[in-house]
Amino acid sequence: MDFIEVTLKVNADFADIFTAELGELGFDAFVETEDGFSAYIDEDKYSQEELEEVLNRYADLVQVEYATQKIERQNWNEEWEKNFEPLFIGGEVSVRASFHEKPAAAKYDIVINPKMSFGTGHHETTTLMIENQLTLDHHGKRVLDMGCGTGILAIMAGELGASEIVAVEIEDWTVENARENAALNNYDAIDVRLGGAETIEGDQPYDIILANINRNVLLDDMPAYKAVLKPEGWLLLSGFYTEDLPMIQERASELGLSYVSHRVKNNWVSAIFKAI
């Protein structure tokens, strides 16, 4: 059986939504691209009508362009490797798939098999978050990763010496993938939870909280993060643009979080805040 590849060009704020929607249609592999993602499904499960129904549902909210092609099954591994290039972040961190060789120069080596989940490091926000993580002492720290996707940031926390790690995601298939990637990197102890901010209510305080989601979710959920952040703990945020930073900073200030610094890549931002 051959595959159908559907490549969507879509605003990043809606990429997770469309990934979830296509997952419901039977698409079972997703690869990030510079301006969206490609999704794959067995040819006999593909329905052009169902695809267009999903896209039309969001037509008033976001512009989407898409293209389809058939891929022969024997070329699947070749197609996957072509779309997932290994990365080297911050001069220290290797992010690769299991079919890539480990680079000799890597201080930290993370293996990610993304399946349907986002977070291979190719998106600017993931790279920025990892670069910011490298500036913080994680040794013996308790770390929370909200909107964990593939689990890459939680795994990075483990690489940096965190002693306890909790990761949270809203989709069950993403939770499964994060757990698989955690085990693949020998971090089976990462506690991956299904749900949203409600899952951390009443948790023991965290030293570091990571949240790479989107502006609106961050603004809504920052009080929940602050409630479980230790005094002088660190909050790393991403998933928003430079023009959104003042709004994020204002919200943080209202909650008693002090702005420390931020990084920018292609207009995407990752900012660091500290509990006062």
Side-chain angles (χ1 to χ4, degrees), residues 165-183:
I165 305 167
V166 174
V168 179
E169 251 296 348
I170 61 172
E171 299 289 349
D172 53 1
W173 44 264
T174 308
V175 168
E176 180 183 352
N177 185 222
R179 287 172 178 161
E180 290 173 352
N181 286 322

Side-chain angles (χ1 to χ4, degrees), residues 100-150:
H100 295 133
E101 292 294 325
K102 176 183 177 181
K107 182 176 181 180
Y108 307 106
D109 182 47
I110 299 176
V111 179
I112 296 293
N113 289 333
K115 294 189 176 178
M116 294 169 62
S117 305
F118 276 81
T120 60
H122 290 78
H123 195 276
E124 291 89 342
T125 59
T126 311
T127 298
L128 290 168
M129 287 289 284
I130 288 176
E131 289 175 345
N132 273 335
Q133 281 184 270
L134 289 170
T135 70
L136 298 183
D137 178 14
H138 285 61
H139 285 279
K141 306 297 185 183
R142 180 169 161 82
V143 178
L144 171 65
D145 179 10
M146 295 297 298
C148 67
T150 60

Side-chain angles (χ1 to χ4, degrees), residues 1-269:
M1 184 66 63
D2 295 332
F3 293 96
I4 298 296
E5 176 193 66
V6 177
T7 300
L8 273 70
K9 184 176 181 180
V10 61
N11 184 291
D13 287 342
F14 284 84
D16 285 345
I17 294 173
F18 282 112
T19 302
E21 290 278 14
L22 296 191
E24 292 295 323
L25 298 184
F27 287 80
D28 58 8
F30 293 76
V31 178
E32 295 176 55
T33 63
E34 289 186 359
D35 48 14
F37 64 90
S38 295
Y40 300 86
I41 187 171
D42 287 339
E43 185 179 17
D44 65 341
K45 297 179 181 178
Y46 175 67
S47 167
Q48 181 79 15
E49 182 179 345
E50 289 181 349
L51 173 64
E52 292 184 354
E53 180 181 341
V54 167
L55 299 180
N56 290 336
R57 200 179 304 155
Y58 296 89
D60 293 336
L61 300 175
V62 63
Q63 181 178 354
V64 182
E65 298 177 19
Y66 78 96
T68 64
Q69 68 168 327
K70 184 163 74 171
I71 298 175
E72 294 182 8
R73 178 170 288 273
Q74 59 264 34
N75 292 331
W76 172 246
N77 287 339
E78 177 184 347
E79 188 68 23
W80 182 248
E81 294 187 26
K82 181 181 73 175
N83 282 286
F84 187 7
E85 293 297 327
L87 295 176
F88 202 59
I89 299 173
E92 298 182 79
V93 184
S94 164
V95 180
R96 61 187 177 90
S98 56
F99 48 74
H100 295 133
E101 292 294 325
K102 176 183 177 181
K107 182 176 181 180
Y108 307 106
D109 182 47
I110 299 176
V111 179
I112 296 293
N113 289 333
K115 294 189 176 178
M116 294 169 62
S117 305
F118 276 81
T120 60
H122 290 78
H123 195 276
E124 291 89 342
T125 59
T126 311
T127 298
L128 290 168
M129 287 289 284
I130 288 176
E131 289 175 345
N132 273 335
Q133 281 184 270
L134 289 170
T135 70
L136 298 183
D137 178 14
H138 285 61
H139 285 279
K141 306 297 185 183
R142 180 169 161 82
V143 178
L144 171 65
D145 179 10
M146 295 297 298
C148 67
T150 60
I152 185 172
L153 301 182
I155 294 166
M156 186 72 245
E159 289 287 294
L160 292 170
S163 59
E164 294 181 74
I165 305 167
V166 174
V168 179
E169 251 296 348
I170 61 172
E171 299 289 349
D172 53 1
W173 44 264
T174 308
V175 168
E176 180 183 352
N177 185 222
R179 287 172 178 161
E180 290 173 352
N181 286 322
L184 188 62
N185 289 272
N186 299 314
Y187 292 108
D188 306 67
I190 293 176
D191 177 10
V192 186
R193 302 176 184 174
L194 175 64
E198 76 284 350
T199 65
I200 63 171
E201 185 177 354
D203 276 7
Q204 292 297 311
Y206 296 91
D207 299 283
I208 300 171
I209 298 179
L210 315 166
N212 181 14
I213 308 178
N214 65 57
R215 185 196 68 184
N216 293 337
V217 172
L218 293 176
L219 291 171
D220 288 343
D221 290 353
M222 282 170 67
Y225 307 158
K226 176 59 167 57
V228 292
L229 183 62
K230 288 183 179 180
E232 299 191 356
W234 301 94
L235 175 63
L236 278 61
L237 303 178
S238 194
F240 56 93
Y241 301 111
T242 52
E243 54 266 32
D244 300 321
L245 181 58
M247 191 184 307
I248 297 290
Q249 289 174 309
E250 180 180 0
R251 183 65 162 148
S253 180
E254 292 171 354
L255 295 168
L257 297 164
S258 176
Y259 165 77
V260 177
S261 63
H262 73 278
R263 297 172 183 266
V264 179
K265 186 175 182 180
N266 296 331
N267 204 41
W268 290 100
V269 176

